[in-house]
C-alpha cells in the first residue's frame, strides 16, 4: 500500500466504515487507556458501537495480566467487557502451547509476570520461574555448576520488571540444552506505558536479552503474529474483510490487522503522533487505511 492511501477519518468514510464492518478489534494501551487512565470518550464510543450490534474484541500485547485481571480492569474503568472478548499476549502464550499439544508432563519456564503464570495454570500447564525467581541470584564460583530442570520444554518470555542474570541463565540453558525446547515471546514491543506519564522498556528488551544469550529467535504469539489472529478468528465466525483493527502502533496493531486483510484505523492517542506517523510509515512500509486522533472521533462522525 502506498503512503497516499492512508486517509484521515471523515464523516463520509466513517459512515462507510461502520456500515461495512461487523467487528472492531481494539488494541488497549493507547486506544482504550493509557496506563491506568481511561482515554476520553471511550465508554460512550464502545456503547454506541455495541448498540449498532458490532462485535467488540480487545487485544493487548501487555502480558503482565491474565484475561481475568483485564476483565476486572475494564469493569473498574466502567466498561463492561467479558473475559472471552479479551485476547492478551499472556493468554496467547498458553493457547499456543495448548493448540500445539505441549506435553502436560513438561514444564514451562517463565521470564515474565503473574499474567503469564495465571494463564499457564488455567490452561493446565506447570510453570517455573516468574517474578519471584528474581529474588535468587547465581553464585558465580568456579566450583559451582548452575543446574536447570531438564523437563522444561518451553521458555516463555514477556515483560518482567524483576528480570535478572539468574533468569537469563536459566532460560538460556533450557533453550540451548533441553532438546526441542520452545522459545516463545509474548510480544516484542520496545516500550510500554507502565504508567500514563512515561514509556518504560517493553517485553522486546527481555526477549532481545534471551535472543542474545541463545542466538535463537522466538516464536511470537502476540500482535502482529498470525497465531493470535487465527486463534481469534476460530472463536468468532467473522470475515476478516468485515473487521476493523484499531491501534496506536504500526509495527504491532496495524500490521496485525493488515496481515489478516482487516480494515485498519490508526489513532494518535497513544505512542505515535501524526508527524511521527508520516516518518514511521515510510520506514516500516505499514499503512493504516484511516487515521484519526482518538476512537471517540467515530462518535463525532456518525
Ligand atoms: N507491554 C507492556 C509491558 C506494556 O506496558 C504495554 C502498554 O502499556 C504494552 C505491551 C502494549 O500494550 P497494548 O498492546 O495494549 O498497546
Ligand atoms: Ca497500543
Amino acid at each position: 500500500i502506498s503512503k497516499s492511501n492512508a486517509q484521515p477519518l471523515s464523516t463520509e468514510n466513517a459512515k462507510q466504515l461502520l456500515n461495512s464492518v461487523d467487528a472492531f478489534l481494539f488494541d488497549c494501551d493507547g486506544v482504550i487507556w493509557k496506563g491506568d487512565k481511561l482515554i476520553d470518550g471511550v465508554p460512550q464510543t464502545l456503547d454506541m458501537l455495541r448498540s449498532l450490534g458490532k462485535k467488540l474484541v480487545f487485544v493487548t500485547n501487555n502480558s503482565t495480566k491474565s484475561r481475568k485481571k483485564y476483565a476486572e480492569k475494564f469493569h473498574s474503568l466502567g466498561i463492561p467487557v467479558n473475559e472471552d472478548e479479551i485476547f492478551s499476549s499472556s493468554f496467547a502464550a498458553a493457547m499456543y502451547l495448548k493448540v500445539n499439544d505441549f506435553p502436560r508432563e513438561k514444564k514451562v519456564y517463565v521470564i515474565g509476570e503473574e499474567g503469564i503464570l495465571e494463564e499457564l495454570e488455567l490452561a493446565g500447564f506447570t510453570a517455573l520461574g516468574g517474578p519471584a525467581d528474581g529474588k535468587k541470584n547465581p553464585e558465580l564460583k568456579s566450583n559451582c555448576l548452575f543446574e536447570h530442570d531438564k523437563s522444561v520444554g518451553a521458555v516463555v518470555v514477556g515483560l518482567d520488571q524483576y528480570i535478572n542474570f539468574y533468569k537469563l541463565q536459566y532460560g538460556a540453558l533450557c533453550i540451548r540444552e533441553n532438546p526441542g525446547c520452545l522459545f516463545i515471546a509474548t510480544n516484542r514491543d520496545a516500550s510500554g506505558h507502565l504508567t500514563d506519564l512515561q514509556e518504560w522498556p517493553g517485553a522486546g528488551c527481555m526477549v532481545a536479552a534471551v535472543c542474545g544469550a541463545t542466538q535463537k529467535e522466538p516464536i511470537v504469539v502476540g500482535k502482529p503474529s498470525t497465531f493470535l489472529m487465527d486463534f481469534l478468528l476460530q472463536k468468532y465466525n467473522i470475515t476478516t474483510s468485515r473487521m476493523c483493527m484499531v491501534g496506536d502502533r504500526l509495527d504491532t496493531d496495524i500490521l496485525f490487522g493488515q496481515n489478516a486483510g482487516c480494515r485498519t484505523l490508526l489513532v494518535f492517542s497513544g505512542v505515535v503522533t501524526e508527524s511521527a506517523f508520516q516518518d514511521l510509515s515510510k520506514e516500516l512500509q505499514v499503512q493504516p487505511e484511516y487515521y484519526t486522533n482518538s476512537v471517540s472521533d467515530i462518535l463525532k462522525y456518525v
Side-chain angles (χ1 to χ4, degrees):
I1 303 173
S2 73
K3 187 177 172 232
S4 58
N5 282 4
Q7 287 175 18
L9 201 64
S10 65
T11 309
E12 207 168 85
N13 59 30
K15 282 209 171 73
Q16 193 277 338
L17 183 68
L18 274 185
N19 288 334
S20 50
V21 156
D22 301 322
F24 281 86
L25 304 187
F26 288 103
D27 162 47
C28 293
D29 197 84
V31 174
I32 304 296
W33 56 63
K34 212 166 186 180
D36 284 330
K37 217 164 149 256
L38 194 62
I39 291 171
D40 285 347
V42 165
Q44 296 87 330
T45 309
L46 300 182
D47 282 350
M48 184 273 286
L49 293 174
R50 283 204 199 273
S51 72
L52 291 175
K54 306 299 178 193
K55 172 87 204 139
L56 308 185
V57 180
F58 301 87
V59 189
T60 178
N61 264 1
N62 188 334
S63 63
T64 61
K65 288 186 172 64
S66 60
R67 289 213 292 182
K68 186 164 181 276
K69 291 279 156 55
Y70 276 115
E72 289 168 13
K73 176 170 180 173
F74 274 103
H75 284 270
S76 75
L77 292 170
I79 309 175
V81 172
N82 282 332
E83 240 177 276
D84 63 4
E85 296 170 315
I86 302 166
F87 292 81
S88 60
S89 62
S90 53
F91 177 63
M95 289 306 105
Y96 182 88
L97 293 174
K98 194 171 174 185
V99 165
N100 288 286
D101 297 323
F102 184 74
R104 302 279 154 177
E105 65 277 11
K106 293 227 172 197
K107 295 178 191 138
V108 184
Y109 185 72
V110 177
I111 298 179
E113 301 192 17
E114 296 299 337
I116 302 172
L117 296 179
E118 282 174 35
E119 292 294 356
L120 289 172
E121 193 186 329
L122 277 171
F125 297 114
T126 306
L128 302 176
D133 242 13
K135 300 201 176 79
K136 301 175 207 156
N137 259 311
E139 279 189 60
L140 300 176
K141 292 182 191 154
S142 58
N143 62 350
C144 166
L145 183 66
F146 188 84
E147 296 283 357
H148 71 286
D149 190 326
K150 307 294 185 296
S151 67
V152 169
V155 175
V156 175
V157 185
L159 180 89
D160 189 339
Q161 294 171 66
Y162 311 94
I163 188 154
N164 61 24
F165 201 49
Y166 169 95
K167 293 188 195 184
L168 280 178
Q169 170 72 337
Y170 205 108
L173 281 178
C174 294
I175 292 168
R176 287 205 313 258
E177 295 186 9
N178 291 3
C181 185
L182 300 170
F183 171 17
I184 296 170
T186 56
N187 63 305
R188 298 189 93 156
D189 294 46
S191 63
H193 278 106
L194 295 177
T195 62
D196 62 328
L197 288 177
Q198 199 175 25
E199 285 181 42
W200 292 81
C205 306
M206 286 86 213
V207 174
V210 179
C211 289
T214 59
Q215 296 295 298
K216 292 220 159 100
E217 284 297 303
I219 299 157
V220 180
V221 293
K223 296 172 288 185
S225 86
T226 50
F227 168 75
L228 185 55
M229 183 60 90
D230 292 344
F231 183 80
L232 200 149
L233 292 173
Q234 271 195 344
K235 299 273 149 189
Y236 299 110
N237 196 13
I238 311 168
T239 323
T240 52
S241 63
R242 293 192 62 87
M243 286 173 26
C244 179
M245 174 71 205
V246 185
D248 71 324
R249 284 190 96 106
L250 292 167
D251 60 347
T252 52
D253 308 321
I254 300 304
L255 192 58
F256 180 65
Q258 198 181 72
N259 282 342
C262 299
R263 315 287 298 270
T264 53
L265 171 63
L266 179 75
V267 290
F268 301 128
S269 50
V271 296
V272 179
T273 59
E274 188 164 4
S275 62
F277 155 61
Q278 303 294 357
D279 296 338
L280 265 175
S281 57
K282 253 184 275 172
E283 186 191 317
L284 295 168
Q285 306 258 305
V286 180
Q287 284 292 322
E289 186 179 1
Y290 301 118
Y291 56 88
T292 198
N293 285 325
S294 110
V295 284
S296 60
D297 291 341
I298 301 174
L299 261 188
K300 258 195 339 216
Y301 292 128
V302 292

